[in-house]
Amino acid sequence: MTDTPLAERRSETRRRVFKGGVITFNGAGVDCTVRNISNRGAALDVANAAMIPPRFSLAIKADDFIARCRMVWNNGQRVGIAFD
């Protein structure tokens, strides 16, 4: 592991946002809040990250956005994702 902060290891700067989203998998949907986003990934706030599988879809209705994603990290209520 490195001592370099995560924000400095990202290949792209993320834009801070506050948008509603829905994580979908296996016919289920979990509401989330998108806290930051780039062309390659995002950070999402969720009620319980343990409910989120390693791969899922993210929809942001306000932006007419849908993407396949994979979880990169989670800390219980916030998850970092990369877009496939």
Side-chain angles (χ1 to χ4, degrees):
M1 196 70 185
T2 179
D3 290 334
T4 306
L6 178 60
E8 293 177 21
R9 289 183 273 153
R10 292 185 181 134
S11 60
E12 286 187 27
T13 303
R14 291 195 177 175
R15 298 174 312 279
R16 291 176 69 164
V17 297
F18 188 78
K19 296 183 177 189
V22 178
I23 296 167
T24 58
F25 55 93
N26 299 330
V30 175
D31 290 333
C32 67
T33 302
V34 183
R35 299 307 303 247
N36 64 50
I37 193 165
S38 73
N39 290 331
R40 294 184 179 207
L44 312 174
D45 284 347
V46 295
N48 181 358
M51 298 172 42
I52 310 301
R55 294 197 177 271
F56 54 89
S57 291
L58 171 66
I60 306 171
K61 188 172 183 175
D63 294 342
D64 197 29
F65 175 89
I66 299 175
R68 293 285 308 148
C69 310
R70 64 182 167 83
M71 189 181 313
V72 177
W73 58 266
N74 87 65
N75 70 5
Q77 292 186 318
R78 183 166 288 184
V79 297
I81 63 169
F83 300 132
D84 287 342

